[in-house]
């Protein structure tokens, strides 16, 4: 991996960007970023998992440059990058071409923006500055994290982990788990869950709660000695440790 160093006499702290991709695809992007006074670290896609060095640890943005070899295979890399950086660093994908399905998949798996060539550099740089500004402002806000035993629910990034292992939840699964976590050690009725998570203020079949609790148990408790999601007979459910 190589880093573009500051020019002599420049002592100001530069915003660091990790640029991932084949050299023939990243050279021109590297030059433009350096001209805009960013500090750039370069690695190839195949080097991503080999070493955790300063570029990945300290970068304020990640730009992945897609080539024909990686146009379908970067979904796993994007998800890994999002989990490694815990969703607090913007990820941009630059690609020579992409189908709507590819763009949706990349955005769903962690990319914050997808830029398709050809493009105007002044627009790209404005989008980069905007993402850096948005994430910088968010970083100034203290993270709210609810901890229950070894379960961590990050209320800002909506990331959930248990014993350091991150797992993916659907939006409704996350909202249900967050509600239980906010009421840890409290018996939550099915009707209260329906009202607060689904927004239903009227009586209806509460089986939907049971179905989603079953899904959560598979992701949160399956294979673990300590179960966190408990049934309260005749009432509903509770998140707590035994």
């Amino acid at each position: 991996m190589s880093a573009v160093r500051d020019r002599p006499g420049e002592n100001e702290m530069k915003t660091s960007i990790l640029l991932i991709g084949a050299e023939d695809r990243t050279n021109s992007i590297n030059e433009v970023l350096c001209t805009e006074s960013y500090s750039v670290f370069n690695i190839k896609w195949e080097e991503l998992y080999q070493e955790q060095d300063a570029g990945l640890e300290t970068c304020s943005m990640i730009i992945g440059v897609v080539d024909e070899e990686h146009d379908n295979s970067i979904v796993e890399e994007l998800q890994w990058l999002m989990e490694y950086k815990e969703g607090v660093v913007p990820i941009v994908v630059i690609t020579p071409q992409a189908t709507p399905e590819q763009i949706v998949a990349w955005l769903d798996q962690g990319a914050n923006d997808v830029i398709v060539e050809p493009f105007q550099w002044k627009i790209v740089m404005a989008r980069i500055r905007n993402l850096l500004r948005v994430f910088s402002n968010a970083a100034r806000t203290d993270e709210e994290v609810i901890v229950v035993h070894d379960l961590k629910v990050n209320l800002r990034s909506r990331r959930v982990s248990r014993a350091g292992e991150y797992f993916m939840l659907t939006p409704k699964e996350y909202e249900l788990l967050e509600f239980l976590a906010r009421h840890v050690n409290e018996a939550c009725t099915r009707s209260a869950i329906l009202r607060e998570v689904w927004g239903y203020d009227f009586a209806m079949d509460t089986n939907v709660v049971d179905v989603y609790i079953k899904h959560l148990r598979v992701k949160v408790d399956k294979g673990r000695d300590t179960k966190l999601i408990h049934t309260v007979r005749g009432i509903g459910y509770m998140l707590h440790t035994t």
Side-chain angles (χ1 to χ4, degrees):
M1 194 197 80
S2 61
V4 177
R5 304 301 179 188
D6 293 348
R7 289 187 288 268
E10 292 184 341
N11 297 317
E12 72 275 10
M13 181 67 69
K14 292 186 175 183
T15 300
S16 176
I17 295 178
L18 178 66
L19 186 59
I20 308 173
E23 187 173 344
D24 60 336
R25 293 280 294 126
T26 60
N27 279 340
S28 60
I29 300 171
N30 194 335
E31 291 178 6
V32 173
L33 291 173
C34 291
T35 300
E36 294 292 325
S37 298
Y38 293 106
S39 176
V40 185
F41 290 80
N42 298 97
I43 64 172
K44 300 175 183 177
W45 284 108
E46 53 268 27
E47 297 173 335
L48 184 58
Y49 306 107
Q50 294 178 6
E51 55 179 334
Q52 308 311 318
D53 49 35
L56 185 55
E57 293 291 342
T58 63
C59 66
S60 298
M61 170 177 279
I62 298 170
I63 299 178
V65 184
V66 179
D67 52 38
E68 292 182 1
E69 183 179 351
H70 294 92
D71 61 352
N72 290 313
S73 63
I74 66 165
V75 169
E76 292 183 4
E77 282 87 347
L78 289 173
Q79 184 176 354
W80 183 85
L81 284 167
M82 183 180 68
E83 293 179 356
Y84 186 85
K85 300 298 290 187
E86 297 186 331
V88 299
V89 170
I91 301 173
V92 176
V93 173
I94 295 179
T95 177
Q97 59 184 6
T99 65
E101 291 75 18
Q102 285 176 316
I103 294 175
V104 169
W106 295 339
L107 292 172
D108 282 346
Q109 295 304 321
N112 300 101
D113 196 2
V114 176
I115 301 172
V116 181
E117 300 171 336
F119 49 72
Q120 295 184 30
W121 270 115
K122 62 181 180 180
I123 296 177
V124 172
M125 297 312 302
R127 290 161 77 167
I128 287 174
R129 289 193 299 271
N130 181 62
L131 276 174
L132 287 169
R133 181 170 58 252
V134 168
F135 275 74
S136 176
N137 290 339
R140 296 190 187 104
T141 303
D142 292 336
E143 284 192 356
E144 288 187 76
V145 180
I146 298 176
V147 179
V148 181
H149 188 52
D150 56 354
L151 175 75
K152 292 184 178 181
V153 180
N154 190 311
L155 304 181
R156 182 168 64 84
S157 67
R158 294 170 69 94
R159 298 289 294 151
V160 177
S161 65
R162 183 154 186 201
E165 177 187 350
Y166 286 87
F167 43 87
M168 302 296 291
L169 299 179
T170 66
K172 196 57 65 178
E173 287 171 350
Y174 170 81
E175 290 167 16
L176 174 56
L177 183 61
E178 179 184 318
F179 176 77
L180 294 175
R182 288 183 181 274
H183 298 273
V184 64
N185 296 324
E186 298 178 19
C188 300
T189 66
R190 289 178 175 83
S191 59
I193 293 173
L194 279 172
R195 182 176 62 253
E196 298 299 327
V197 178
W198 274 267
Y200 295 134
D201 292 321
F202 51 88
M204 63 168 290
D205 184 3
T206 57
N207 182 61
V208 65
V209 176
D210 301 327
V211 171
Y212 273 82
I213 287 289
K214 182 178 179 180
H215 293 168
L216 273 183
R217 279 177 164 154
V218 171
K219 296 182 178 182
V220 174
D221 283 342
K222 185 177 181 180
R224 302 183 187 274
D225 294 333
T226 302
K227 308 301 182 185
L228 300 180
I229 302 174
H230 298 266
T231 300
V232 182
R233 289 189 179 277
I235 299 177
Y237 298 97
M238 176 188 296
L239 185 69
H240 79 115
T241 58
T242 54

